[in-house]
Structures are given as structure tokens and as C-alpha cells.
Amino acid sequence: MKIISSNVYVGPNVYANFPVIRHQIDIGELENWPSVKLGEGFINGLIAALPTLQSHGCSYREEGGFLRRLKEDEGTWIGHIWEHVALELQHLAGSDVTYGKTRSSGKLGCYDVVYQYKQRDVGLEAGELGLRLLKHLMPKVVQDALVTATSDDFDFSEELHDFIRMAQRKEFGPSTGSLVSAAEARDIPWLRLNNYSLVQFGHGKYQKRIQATITSETKHIAVEISCDKEDTHNLLNDLGLPVPQQIMVYGVPQAIRAAKKIGYPVVVKPLNANHGRGVTINLLSDEQVGIAFEEAQQFGTGKAVLVESYLSGFDHRMLVVNNELVAVAKRVPGNVVGDGKSTISELVDLVNLDPRRGIGHEKVLTRLELDNQALRLLEEADYDENTILEEGQLFYLRSTANLSTGGTSIDVTDIVHPDNRDMAVRAIKAIGLDIGGVDFLTEDISKSYKEIGGGICECNAAPGFRMHVAPSEGKPRDVSGKVMDMLFPLGSEARIPVAAITGTNGKTTTSRMLASIVKSAGFTTGMTSTDGVYIDGHLTVKGDMTGPTSAQIVLRDPSVDFAILETARGGILKRGLGYTESNVSACLNVTADHLGLRGIDTVEQLAKIKRVVVEVAKDCVVLNADDILCLQMADYCEAEHIFYVTMNPGHGLVREHIRRGGLAAVLEKGINGDMITIYDKGAHIPLLWTHLIPATIEGKALHNVQNAMFAAAMAYSFKISLEDIRQGLRIFNTSFYQAPGRLNIYDEHPFKVILDYAHNPAAIQTITDLALRLDITGKRRIVMAMPGDRRDEDIIEAANITAEGFDSFICKADDDRRRRGFDEVPQLLKQTLLAAGISESDIQVIPSEEEAIESALNQCEKGDLLIILGDDITRCWKQIVHFNAEEGDATTEDEPSHTYPEKLYEPIEHKFELAEGQRLVHDERGVRLIVEHDEESD
């Protein structure tokens, strides 16, 4: 068995709309060894190692379903078993994951194993540990047949313990995790900013941040005061709040003198530490004070230690959020109760059998341990771990009541006396914290401290939430919800508008057109594209930035209030989307490109990849009604509206959609040219003549007409005004500086040069069509190439397309040959052109891009059109601009009339023909096409 490839999807993907891990595996000989054949030893061993697999329903959708699959008939195969084991290991480590799927990839013995994860490293390690466990449990004859040897000293219980410890370091702690859950419940997006507890809530300019329970609204000076226990003590004391006597010391003799001055019993603790680290209470002698001083110095960040009077009573944590007491927990130190027959060590083991106890923050409670502090308390009581306590005798193994050291918590929020409530709020308000924890000692929290006494031990910034959200006893409190309500009050925004654009061709130009419109409407845009990441029109990161990382760059930028995310096939295949949802998504087209790569061999498979972008749209999807693969995506949409774009004014389905009140952008013929028209709830809204959009070259570049229609449709879906849409399209042009490599025209030579990045047959078809529509007095020339990783049939198709539209050809190669020979691609282009009837005298092969362009520029004459399909766009443009040919007179053409005719078009409608297995569905969103298909079985 071997893992062929692995993908960690960070967002929505082809398998699920949340993060999953996919392993593509070849199980080899194990194809002949389903679970029943592996034997009872394997099955029983797996159940013994992971008895909680009993809860997995699998395809039976009921408890015990997966175990039935293991034992019934032939059983199930190792990939499916591995999926369930990886999920259960994560569950044991505290991750709430349930989704998994294993499917054959079409080749015998090869499977795609997919399972959910919460934290990347934990998910991957769960897979590795699960695989080691399964190999360890296999019969010896199977182990011998495996390529990978198994370890004889494999100890699963020890490995599981180490895995859970690792997971605790990687996963969110209980406080951060509860805040993330509260955000999800309120539909507030979040992004993890590091491997620890730094989290961003909200997108763009609306973002807030937390680190543990410190928020971006927490004042730094307040944290500094709370961390300095002497400053906190003095500040509260000056306000008349109940605090113990306190003296700061720097050595053991000074600590002993302070203890005597205050009077025994005393407490010794570090000046600045948390979670009860280094705190020793109820000290009764000079010797104990000396030992406690040394321990306190180990946990503090400086030499200073505090000695303070010991307050008796129960330890209470009072949590204040936004000047409101939201929860109070009574904390009890970790303890055991004697039964008259068990040793203390055995009693600890019995306590740890409680299913609520786990390692670290794995569960509601933490396991008790007989560590140094527990042994010291035993020694002080003249006990050891083998001592047998009398029945009912209570013994504390901790001097403090922190949950992280095995303590328990009891919610007492509802019985707090109003005086104690006001005292806690005053204390946190005095320090200046937005979230603060008051450690308050009193015999009875339901009675006023003014009557029975009590005192504040500490005030903490970044208080833990675990004792409140999951108390050992009492009512859980939604304290994290209070924090979210503070950060995002009712009616405030957390999300910025997100537009997502995918398709084979036109993505970048459409993104730039939409950015131009959005900027005209007054937004600060963040845009991802194949050129880079742009913030407010300025390039911040250069390169192909159409994957999940670039999307998160935009969503994390605090200046952005509108995101435009070009999303390409490659990023979706490798890592999924970098966002969980969009407001408006568009799929421009699906044509053959990158086929034969990463398991995508057909345009139908390619459409399924691009459909992911459409599936996450919430408000509206914009689809190309002239592309059947785009049209079929409508049935997979959850968005409120479907917005069709068509260049065919008689499109039958779109006309029916319009009659039912649906949204559509239609290119309509008029007396004065072509008009982009929007339909909304039956209203007919003329938007703009295409010849008024510079990027369309007076309406002749039909692919940019279509791109403009998509940009306008998306902008309209965001309720941007018609005037802003018109203005954004009018000021956008395809200059090299505004849209590099996208129909860049240079007219300063005696001939016209167009530079474009067309790199697949569909894109090359649009360029060829444009060349034929332009009025040229000379020759039509082309410098062409195709990327080396494209299939031979794609390269041949591209050459055949250009054969119909040009007079002269120079065949070159891209700089990166992509495993092709030096002149393999240009020679293939040449042979195809010859076969298409082009004279050999009209074809040149010049593999170097620079030399090919230089030769083409030198051959051009006045009135010619030269189209260059470039690779290194910047270098190509510099060659064009700095070419030393003599300048000729530029030809000018009459500007088309801008007058709107009264009658835009003659109504026409073409019947929409349904293929076998297709049907139309009518609903409140209009009309959509459905393709009947069989459901996959589990």
C-alpha cells in the first residue's frame, strides 16, 4: 500500500464545503484482503484499540453501522477503514469531525480517501498514526507482503497519548475554541492567523482580533496593570475594594520578615504569572515561606515575589465582559475521597476514569496527576501515594483550584449577591479591561462581602473560559457570545462584499472591469488575479495569485471593503477555496485548457472543479447561458438569485427566465450597434452601447463585450448604481498598465500591434475572430505559441484556428518548455499549419520569444496587424514599445454615434432544445436546467 498524493484543502472544495484531507492511495495487494479476510484478530484488535468506533454510523446512519460494515459479507476495504480511524483519532483528541468518504478513483486498487479535519497537522498526523495502527493489526502474512515494514515495538496507547498531547498544542484551546464557535453561530467569518490562538473575526475593514481572550479592543496599559500584581493590589486598595495585605520581596529573608509582619498564614506568589503557576497558599512557617519563595521565582518573569495575607473561603472566578458580570464559577482544587480500601494512587486512577477528564484541555476536566506539588502536599500530611484514606476522607492534591491542574468548577452565577457583583465589575473597570477575571475568596458568594468578609486575590487579563462554558456542575454560560456581541454589536457589519470569478478565459479582465466599477462606486477594493494581488488598484504581491492564500491576503487587509477574487482551477484542485462563501459568484465559460493534468481529462470534469466557486455563492450566481456546462451549474446553486448572461437575444431559456421575473444581461441589436441590456423582474434596462466601452475596441472584441456584461451583471447584483456601472466600464481600457497581457494595443507604429496572453484554443479563437473583424489594409500576422504542458490535440486545435485568420505565422516556444523539447511545440504548430494548407513560405519557426517578436516587428509594413501571443508579457511589451521602426501616420476612424434609438431590437426567440436526461425547472429564482444523474452510493 502506498500514498500516491495528498491534498490538504483549506476551504470549500470538490469533496465538501469545509476543510478536508484527501489521500490518493494504491492499496496493491490489500485489494485482495477486505476486513473479513483480514480476520477476527484484525477486527477485534481494532475495536479494542478504538472502542469508540461503535458510534460511527457509516452508510447505515445508526450507531454500530461501521462495525457492521467491518463484519458483514466480505467486509470493507482498508481505505474505508483508514478514513474512519483517522476521524476517530481526531475525535479522541477533541476535534469535532464527522465527515469522511472513500471512493474508487477508477483504477483497480486505487482510492481517494477523504476525511474532515479542524487543524492541518492534527489531521495529517491522525492519518499517519491510523495507518501505523492498521498495519500493526494486520496478520503476519499480510504484513510480510507490504512494501513498508511494521515496527515490532509499536505501543498504540503510548502513541495515542503523544498524539493527543500534540493535538492539544496545535488545536484551539477551550477559550479560543468557544469564541470561534460563538462567531460561527452568529455567521461571523474567522481566520486563524498563526499556529496558536491569534484569530481574526470579520473580513477586511470590519475585522477584530483575539489572542486567547485578549481582544483587539483590550487596552495594552490595562493588561500591563493586571499582570503586575502589586500595581493591581494598590489600585484596588485605593478604591476601597477588598484586597489582602501585600508586601513585595526579593529574597527569602525578606519574604520571611514580610510573613511575620503580615501574620501567618500567608500566600506567596510571583509578581507576574498566571494559571496559578508558582502560587502557594496557607503557609504556616518560615521554612514553608522559604520553599514557596523559590518556587514562585521559577514561574515569575522577574525576581520580585509577593507575600500576602491568606484569605479563607472558597475560590470563585468572576468573569466580567464589557462591564457586565456574565459568569461566576466556584472552583474546587483537584482532590480524592477515601473509600477505606484504596490507596491514594488508586483513587487518582479512579477519578481519572471519569469520561469528562482528559489530557490537557482535551475535555471538560483535566486528569489528576501525582506530580511534585501533589507529592509535597502528601509529604506535609505525612502521607504517600500508597496511603489508604478513611472512607469519606477528603484530600486535596492541589493548593489552588485551577482547572488546568485537575480542579473542578461549579456554576454559581445565579446566586451571586448584588454587592459582590458590583465589586467585581468595579475592579475590572478600574483596571480598564474589556474582559477580565476576578479571583474572589469568600465563604458564601450569595452573601455580601461587606457582611461576611472576603477578598480579591487577583484580577486577570485573558481569563480562561472553560470553567464557564463547560462547568463540572451547573448551567453552562455563553460567555463567548457576550464577547462576540461586544466586538460586533447588533446591526454592525462583519463581512465585506465578496465577488468570486472563475472560468477558463476572461477571468482577469472581468475582475479588472468589476474593480473599475466598484472603485467608481467609492469602495476600496482588494483584487486577486493571475497578475498579482491589488489593494485599491496598487500591486502589492506580484505573480499568479488566484489560490486560497491570495484570497486570504485580501480578506485580512484592514483597508479593504470590497473583495474581488479571481479563482483558478489550479488553486481549487490543490487546496480548495480561501473563503467559505461569496455574495456573488460568476462562471464565465468552461473550455478545454489544462486537460490531462492532475486527473482532469475532460471539460465536464473541469466544469465540476469550477462549479465549487458557484456553489458557495449566497446572494447571486452569474452564469454564461451560451455555455451548456455553465448553464448546468444552476441546479447546484444555493444562491437566492440566478443571473444569466447571453449574447444571443433570442435565447429560449433566458427569455423564459426573463418572463418569470429572473435576472439576465442580454446583448441586443439596435440601430446604433449592440446594447448591453439588463432584465430585472420584467423591467427592461438599457445599460450601455458596447462601442462606448474602450476595452471592446468599438464593440469588435466580442470576448471583452462578454466580459463587460459579466462585470455589469455582478455589479448590478451588488446593487451598485447604473451610473457607476456605466462610468466604471467607460474608464476601463485594456492598456498594458491597466490589464497587462489582456488585449494590449499599441498604435504608435505604422502598423497595429496587439499583445495578448491567449494560451488555449478558446482564447485563441476569440483573438482570431477579432483579427478578422478589424479593418486591416495590410496583412494579418501572428506570433504564436502554446504552453508545453498542453495536450498535442490542444496545440493542433490552436494552430488550425489561426490558419483561418492570418496571412503570416511565426511559431515560437514559451520560456518554460514544461518538459517539451527545445522547438517541439513550434514544430508541431508548423506541421499543423502546413497540413491546413498554409504555404511554407508564410511560416517561420523561431523558438526564442524575443527573437520571434523582433523578427515579426521587422517584417511588418504599414497597415499590417500583428498579434503576439506572449509569455513574458512585460518583456514583450517593452520590445513592442521600443521597436525602432519609422513611425507612420496613424489611421483614424469615425467615432460611432452615441445616440440611443427609440427601438433597440426586434423581439426574437429561439427555442431551447433539451437533450436526453435534461429538464427545466421553474421556481422563484426563474428557470434553470437540470441534468438527471444517479446518486453515488456510500
Side-chain angles (χ1 to χ4, degrees), residues 66-106:
F66 173 64
L67 299 188
R68 283 179 62 188
R69 290 287 301 274
L70 283 176
K71 300 173 183 178
E72 283 183 343
D73 301 323
E74 289 184 292
T76 188
W77 276 257
I78 200 68
H80 182 213
I81 301 170
W82 185 28
E83 164 210 322
H84 280 270
V85 170
L87 287 171
E88 187 55 32
L89 287 173
Q90 292 181 83
H91 183 72
L92 292 174
S95 292
D96 182 19
V97 292
T98 57
Y99 176 82
K101 180 168 72 173
T102 300
R103 295 287 183 272
S104 171
S105 61

Side-chain angles (χ1 to χ4, degrees), residues 254 468 521 546 623 658 810 871 920:
Q254 193 178 5
H468 305 300
T546 54
L623 298 173
I658 291 170
I810 295 182
D871 179 29
L920 295 182

